[in-house]
Amino acid sequence: MEEGRIISESYIKCLQSDDDDTQHEEIDISALPIPIASSPSASAMKLLSHSYTCAPLSKSVLLSLNSLLVNRDGGLFDNLPWSTWSVDPDMKERDAANNVVDSKYALGKRVAYQRFMGKDWQGRSISLTNMAKRLRYMLEADEESKKDSGSDDNMMLSLSQRLLELEITEATMFMAECEKNLAIANASEKDDQYEVEQLEKARARLQLAETSLGELGGTTTDNQSKSQSFILSILDKLSEQENPPPYRGAIGYPAKLDSKKEMFEDSVLPYSSPYELLNEIISEQLNSEVIGCVLEQCSLLEGNLVVGGSLLLKRKGVERTTTLAGETVSYSDDDDDYGNEGVLPRSMYVVECFSDEAIGFAMTSRLPILVQREIYERAATKDVELDVMQASKVRNETKSAESFSYLNRIPVIRLFDDIADLTTQVEGERVLSKSQSRFIRIPLTTNPSPFDGPNQVPQSSAASNSPVFSTFNPVASLDEFDTLSDDDKVRLLLKLESFKGALPRPRAVTSDPTLLDNMLVPLIDESVRRQYQIRDAERRGDFKEANALREEISPRQRALEEAQAAREAGLEERALQLEEEAELYKALRADVTQDEGSYSRFLDRDDWYERETKARIKRLDKKKFGSLLDGIDLP
């Protein structure tokens, strides 16, 4: 806390100083080095530098930075609850039975991505309603300035006529579409009540636009006040929205109406970094706020200290208004889920992200960064020197001709010790000493070569002639599975080619100890999985399910269980025969980790052919072939 107070006071003193030549002493503190994976480090530094400086950015610059945030696999953008928390007050993302559509068909993430790509930018919309709104704002500004603007009235009159002509064109096209839908409904003998209502609305819209255009055509600018009031009334009609969007960029809704401030001020330099735009999207589209940014341990590998980030989302209430005693009162409705089942106000959601994303979001949103106590107490802190002069240079960058790259925008931190003392170890490498476990390691982004299983082709260089199914089967029995530690289970998951998901964090495993088992069991040997499921059902007292699982055991598993029983009874020869039979069934299967019938049986080998082949090999006399079969391992 004392070091944080010193840093804060020094920065305030530096930033409040008007003398560019003022010298500031460096600050000696202890720092917590957090490494970033080499592949995204450049992109992370760019985003962090703009989050630190908080300088407004133009649209072209911001769009180039947005792609660095949204195109990062497994990062903050991917992990936000777009499909379940995007507000849907009109229940548009429901099927015919009013059930919520599957998450892969939800449009929330697509809307957010399009916002980052520039859709529905503040004050830049060319929709008819926003163009009418812009003209109205311009007329209001002209009326407030009280200038002689006869020529301006002619311009506004001409623009209003053009807008009405566009409205007539759109209304005509909408009416033609309604007539087509009505004809289709009549031909298929369906209920056409909705199509009839839509057609009536289209006709009323067209009639209103034609009437307004006719009245506007007979208007002159001789009576300035009457002309302006008539134009304003027409513009108000054009800017009306029957079904306004719940948030900016929502699919299936018209463009959001911009306020005067958004249209003339915020449209130029509204954001300082992609994190600021993301914060706005979270507030509008998810109706939520970020109440905490956390750095936590994110590796389950023993002795590996890896830092990841997390954001804590809190759902906001639905703002409503009512009239009490003649006064309008605003309040928050805490019982409305805003179209998201089970997501009520004050609901919480933990969004896992990379450490640099949590830091960048915290700097942009002016939120404190909370560090897990275990990390700070266990990690190897370093004595460093913080150069506050760099903050002054960045502050005066816009005043001088000097321009800094993104690497020079963040104040420099100099190590007192040799830089070689910093660890360069990657997550997953074995811990050789206790001191190595104190260093924060570089996090993994993909399955690296250290986790490629034995007799496996590395994923980065997999050949086209690789087998359809993996032959890596690390767990041979239930007893072997029970001896696995969390570290062993994580390493097995990283070795398995069939594992495509993301590993949980220690926080999630602590709250649910069976989480790793649930991820690993579907990927191991079918016989071991069946034994695990039977034991689990018996422990839960569900003997009906346990008996059903026993009836569905495969011939291979039955042979293995009989072999074990024979060995326990002292029948070693019978046990060997049964184990050989189990190996035969294993050789028949294309993938022993999957249940029988879960894939096409044509991928398996034929039983009769395999038995005849083994019998033929047993009858084979190698002596007749001399040295021809040397080195060949026959089954």
Side-chain angles (χ1 to χ4, degrees), residues 284-304:
E284 294 181 358
Q285 183 173 335
L286 304 184
N287 192 37
S288 308
E289 59 180 341
V290 178
I291 61 174
C293 300
V294 182
L295 297 180
E296 62 175 348
Q297 164 75 307
C298 66
S299 178
L300 288 165
L301 297 174
E302 184 178 353
N304 282 239

Side-chain angles (χ1 to χ4, degrees), residues 2-180:
E2 181 64 19
E3 290 178 352
R5 184 188 62 80
I6 295 173
I7 295 173
S8 177
E9 290 179 355
S10 300
Y11 270 138
I12 293 174
K13 180 180 177 182
C14 174
L15 296 176
Q16 289 180 348
S17 174
D18 295 328
D19 186 4
D20 297 342
D21 298 329
T22 302
Q23 298 296 324
H24 302 275
E25 296 181 359
E26 289 79 7
I27 310 172
D28 298 340
I29 60 172
S30 294
L32 185 67
I34 301 178
I36 303 174
S38 57
S39 55
S41 60
S43 301
M45 288 304 297
K46 287 182 180 179
L47 295 175
L48 285 173
S49 65
H50 288 285
S51 298
Y52 175 78
T53 55
C54 288
L57 301 176
S58 65
K59 183 179 181 180
S60 58
V61 175
L62 185 67
L63 289 179
S64 64
L65 296 172
N66 286 345
S67 60
L68 303 180
L69 178 63
V70 300
N71 292 332
R72 193 171 179 182
D73 293 337
L76 175 59
F77 182 78
D78 285 347
N79 293 334
L80 282 165
W82 301 115
S83 59
T84 55
W85 279 45
S86 293
V87 298
D88 186 23
D90 296 331
M91 307 294 184
K92 285 183 173 289
E93 296 192 351
R94 303 290 179 101
D95 59 16
N98 200 32
N99 298 316
V100 180
V101 298
D102 192 84
S103 59
K104 62 183 177 181
Y105 301 116
L107 302 176
K109 189 174 183 180
R110 182 189 301 180
V111 172
Y113 181 82
Q114 291 175 348
R115 282 290 310 278
F116 276 102
M117 294 299 104
K119 180 183 178 181
D120 209 353
W121 190 271
Q122 295 179 3
R124 303 289 184 90
S125 174
I126 58 173
S127 65
L128 184 63
T129 53
N130 271 307
M131 291 175 65
K133 205 73 174 176
R134 179 181 291 273
L135 278 177
R136 198 188 196 293
Y137 293 147
M138 293 172 66
L139 279 175
E140 290 177 351
D142 180 67
E143 186 176 353
E144 291 175 1
S145 63
K146 296 182 179 180
K147 293 182 179 180
D148 185 13
S149 55
S151 59
D152 289 343
D153 286 343
N154 290 329
M155 180 191 69
M156 294 299 177
L157 185 63
S158 176
L159 289 175
S160 300
Q161 289 176 342
R162 179 55 181 158
L163 286 176
L164 284 172
E165 291 173 358
L166 290 174
E167 172 67 7
I168 291 174
T169 303
E170 290 188 2
T172 304
M173 295 172 60
F174 180 56
M175 188 172 67
E177 183 179 359
C178 292
E179 291 175 345
K180 181 193 72 172

Side-chain angles (χ1 to χ4, degrees), residues 526 530 554 589 591 594-601 604:
E526 173 266 339
R530 184 75 60 171
S554 62
R589 299 289 304 280
D591 185 4
Q594 298 191 40
D595 295 329
E596 288 188 355
S598 60
Y599 60 88
S600 175
R601 63 182 181 84
D604 292 337

Side-chain angles (χ1 to χ4, degrees), residues 347-619:
S347 297
M348 299 291 184
Y349 190 93
V350 178
V351 184
E352 297 179 353
C353 59
F354 296 102
S355 57
D356 58 274
E357 292 178 323
I359 295 172
F361 193 94
M363 287 194 295
T364 300
S365 306
R366 300 295 187 268
L367 292 173
I369 302 174
L370 306 177
V371 182
Q372 191 176 359
R373 182 180 296 275
E374 175 193 355
I375 296 176
Y376 191 81
E377 293 179 350
R378 172 183 167 188
T381 57
K382 290 291 182 181
D383 294 331
V384 298
E385 182 182 73
L386 182 62
D387 186 1
V388 296
M389 284 294 296
Q390 187 70 10
S392 177
K393 293 179 180 179
V394 173
R395 174 176 62 90
N396 296 320
E397 179 184 3
T398 56
K399 300 178 182 179
S400 62
E402 185 178 8
S403 180
F404 295 100
S405 69
Y406 67 89
L407 291 175
N408 296 328
R409 289 178 176 269
I410 300 178
V412 178
I413 295 179
R414 303 182 183 88
L415 286 170
F416 285 130
D417 301 330
D418 187 2
I419 194 171
D421 291 341
L422 290 178
T423 180
T424 57
Q425 289 183 319
V426 180
E427 179 186 3
E429 297 179 1
R430 293 291 182 180
V431 180
L432 303 179
S433 64
K434 185 177 180 180
S435 60
Q436 286 187 357
S437 65
R438 297 179 63 243
F439 289 104
I440 299 179
R441 300 189 172 211
I442 300 174
L444 292 177
T445 53
T446 56
N447 291 5
S449 57
F451 292 101
D452 289 327
N455 302 323
Q456 294 289 330
V457 178
Q459 295 183 7
S460 57
S461 59
S464 59
N465 59 352
S466 59
V468 177
F469 297 106
S470 173
T471 58
F472 180 49
N473 186 25
V475 183
S477 66
L478 184 60
D479 293 336
E480 183 180 346
F481 180 85
D482 292 337
T483 61
L484 296 177
S485 63
D486 286 347
D487 180 85
D488 296 329
K489 293 174 183 178
V490 170
R491 292 182 182 275
L492 278 179
L493 285 171
L494 292 173
K495 288 178 183 179
L496 292 170
E497 293 182 358
S498 52
F499 176 66
K500 304 298 182 183
L503 288 172
R505 294 190 176 181
R507 165 179 42 80
V509 176
T510 301
S511 60
D512 184 7
T514 64
L515 192 57
L516 284 176
D517 290 350
N518 296 336
M519 299 175 70
L520 183 58
V521 166
L523 307 178
I524 61 176
D525 191 296
E526 173 266 339
S527 62
V528 180
R529 177 171 61 252
R530 184 75 60 171
Q531 293 174 359
Y532 177 90
Q533 292 172 341
I534 292 174
R535 186 182 66 180
D536 181 63
E538 290 176 345
R539 287 178 176 177
R540 290 184 283 106
D542 193 348
F543 298 102
K544 183 178 180 181
E545 180 183 355
N547 294 330
L549 290 171
R550 285 194 181 92
E551 293 176 358
E552 297 175 357
I553 62 175
S554 62
R556 174 171 172 263
Q557 182 180 350
R558 186 176 292 107
L560 288 172
E561 293 179 354
E562 292 177 358
Q564 182 179 359
R567 182 167 281 105
E568 292 175 354
L571 305 176
E572 187 65 25
E573 184 177 354
R574 175 59 178 168
L576 292 175
Q577 293 177 353
L578 290 171
E579 288 177 349
E580 184 178 353
E581 184 77 5
E583 285 298 317
L584 172 65
Y585 286 124
K586 179 180 178 181
L588 296 178
R589 299 289 304 280
D591 185 4
V592 294
T593 67
Q594 298 191 40
D595 295 329
E596 288 188 355
S598 60
Y599 60 88
S600 175
R601 63 182 181 84
F602 295 106
L603 296 174
D604 292 337
R605 299 177 182 178
D606 292 326
D607 181 274
W608 65 269
Y609 179 80
E610 197 69 18
R611 291 182 184 276
E612 287 186 1
T613 301
K614 286 184 175 292
R616 192 181 305 113
I617 292 175
K618 286 183 178 180
R619 296 192 301 266

